[in-house]
Amino acid sequence: MSTLVDADEAKILLEASIAGTLPDERGRFGPFGGRYIPETLVPAFERLEQGIADHLHTESFQSEFRSELKNWVGRPTALTHAPRLSEAWGADVWLKREDLAHTGAHKINNAIGQALLAKRLGAKRIIAETGAGQHGVASAAACARVGLPCRVYMGAVDIERQAPNVDRMLRLGAEVFPVESGDKTLRAAIDEALREWVTDPAGIYYLIGSAVGAHPYPYLVRELQAVIGQEAREQMIRQAGGLPDAAFACVGGGSNAIGLFYPLLGDREIELIGVEAGGTGDGLGQNAATLATGTPGVLQGSYSVILQDENGNVRETHSISAGLDYSGVGPEHALLQAVGRVSYVSASDAEALAALEELCEMEGILTALETAHAYAAASKWARKNPGKRILIGNSGRGDKDMPTLTRYPVRTSRNVTA
Ligand SMILES: *Cc1c(COP(=O)(O)O)cnc(C)c1O
């Protein structure tokens, strides 16, 4: 348990989390979250906060959002029973299939929700940032759908590494803006996007890609992604005959995990487990296991847990999956860990690869490398807790990972027959 929250406070904050009264009016999840931004950005964030208060929970916005989720995204996504995996693990395994959502992952729920909001706020154009490119693709698609121009800031290094996604964004009508400053990756891209936003807070909408950043973004993204857990909860009762004993989701910034977990927080008998990238080892720089190994600090306008060295410098991370390769995590996860409602574990690159292969062969599903981390942890848990019902958030599909997977050939016995 975090030293930032004592036992009495933890009880109160847990109840508040379950009751849905967090973040508080200062944008805080207990000690975490808030808004640590330069003065120049304050008007833009205040405008957004007011816009959310005016629109997000209105009948009119919600019915438009639901309609787009149903008819364009393809929701509800299936809940799939995994009979062969169940037998192998000695468990009853169910998969929430975000890989079946339009563009192949959960990110589209957030992108279309924010694009619809941008329209209502009268924005003339949308800016986004992307590292691996998945959020850029979802944003480009959502902007095309609502008819707003989209510029995606992307580090020059990432543009090089993620060429297929750059092409997808361009075809979806977005402008990809190369960032040559700083580390030329995600962090520099975010700085550049924020700089642009300041120049015209009324005309520009900044579409963030995960449950991170200064208030109100972690709240907004959670509200838009909670559809995952709302659907899964209902589907488990209807199809599986009851709620799961444990639910697993991978954690990068934490948007698919909070989307799955948030509607399940009040079902206290369900063990909730977030799975971070364990990379190649425990050393600083070898993984992206933020909650498992990080310390409290401010990153991108929010107080949360981050990977930093003893001088407070944010550290580079490593993961085989680009989507988990991030040195921070959303503030709500930091709180859920501190109050003991969600536990966070990690799975290594090698464990994720093995889990991906097992799922492919057992159930005919090529999952994303990010998602494979959740399977690796779930399979370990299942072997220690026999006979349990397990829900796994299958956050996305793995087709995008083929260039990486090709470097790790399947076992020789099953190679193409000569
Ligand atoms: C981006 C991505 C993630 C990580 O992002 P979160 O915000 O932590 O959900 C996980 N899975 C897939 C398939 C992704 O594309």
Side-chain angles (χ1 to χ4, degrees), residues 1-14 31-32 291-292 294-296 305 333-344:
M1 180 163 298
S2 161
T3 50
L4 291 170
V5 182
D6 69 31
D8 289 338
E9 274 176 303
K11 273 196 203 113
I12 295 165
L13 288 167
L14 173 59
F32 302 106
L291 287 163
T295 46
V305 173
H333 287 291
L335 179 69
L336 291 170
Q337 180 188 47
V339 302
R341 180 63 188 94
V342 182
S343 48
Y344 296 85

Side-chain angles (χ1 to χ4, degrees), residues 105-107 134 209-211 250-257 323-324 368 370-371 395-396 400:
H106 68 287
K107 286 194 170 74
Q134 294 301 109
S210 188
C250 64
V251 178
S255 69
N256 89 88
L324 301 185
E370 290 84 359
T371 318
S395 57
K400 68 176 178 62

Side-chain angles (χ1 to χ4, degrees), residues 78-293:
L79 177 76
T80 302
H81 188 229
R84 296 188 64 210
L85 211 56
S86 295
E87 200 185 326
W89 291 4
D92 185 23
V93 184
W94 295 81
L95 318 177
K96 180 57 177 162
R97 300 288 306 282
E98 293 304 294
D99 58 313
L100 299 178
H102 181 44
T103 67
H106 68 287
K107 286 194 170 74
I108 199 72
N109 306 322
N110 170 55
I112 188 65
Q114 288 198 56
L116 292 171
L117 183 64
K119 210 124 189 152
R120 288 198 181 223
L121 298 186
K124 299 284 172 279
R125 60 194 186 93
I126 288 183
I127 59 173
E129 93 293 308
T130 197
Q134 294 301 109
H135 173 58
V137 169
S139 298
C143 290
R145 177 69 179 172
V146 304
L148 281 174
C150 177
R151 174 188 279 182
V152 181
Y153 288 87
M154 193 168 184
V157 170
D158 289 332
I159 288 180
E160 194 86 10
R161 287 193 291 206
Q162 312 290 341
N165 274 337
V166 173
D167 196 22
R168 283 169 87 193
M169 286 179 246
L170 295 173
R171 283 168 199 276
L172 287 163
E175 173 198 358
V176 178
F177 193 97
V179 177
E180 302 281 357
S181 56
D183 61 1
K184 300 186 190 185
T185 66
L186 181 61
R187 260 192 292 150
I190 292 167
D191 289 343
E192 202 61 41
L194 289 173
R195 258 198 290 278
E196 175 72 14
W197 194 21
V198 171
T199 65
D200 183 11
I204 297 174
Y205 183 93
Y206 177 39
L207 205 173
I208 210 162
S210 188
V212 298
H215 178 65
Y217 281 114
Y219 163 73
L220 174 61
V221 175
R222 178 194 78 195
E223 294 296 296
L224 297 172
Q225 291 289 7
V227 64
I228 303 171
Q230 287 155 2
E231 285 176 9
R233 191 177 186 285
E234 232 181 86
Q235 289 168 317
M236 285 300 296
I237 292 168
R238 204 157 19 88
Q239 281 177 251
L243 293 173
D245 297 301
F248 293 82
C250 64
V251 178
S255 69
N256 89 88
I258 202 67
L260 183 67
F261 293 164
Y262 183 66
L264 303 177
L265 290 178
D267 301 300
R268 294 165 206 246
E269 64 285 3
I270 306 179
E271 237 184 273
L272 301 174
I273 299 155
V275 189
E276 299 183 309
T280 55
D282 292 337
L284 209 51
Q286 294 182 315
N287 58 67
T290 312
L291 287 163
T293 66

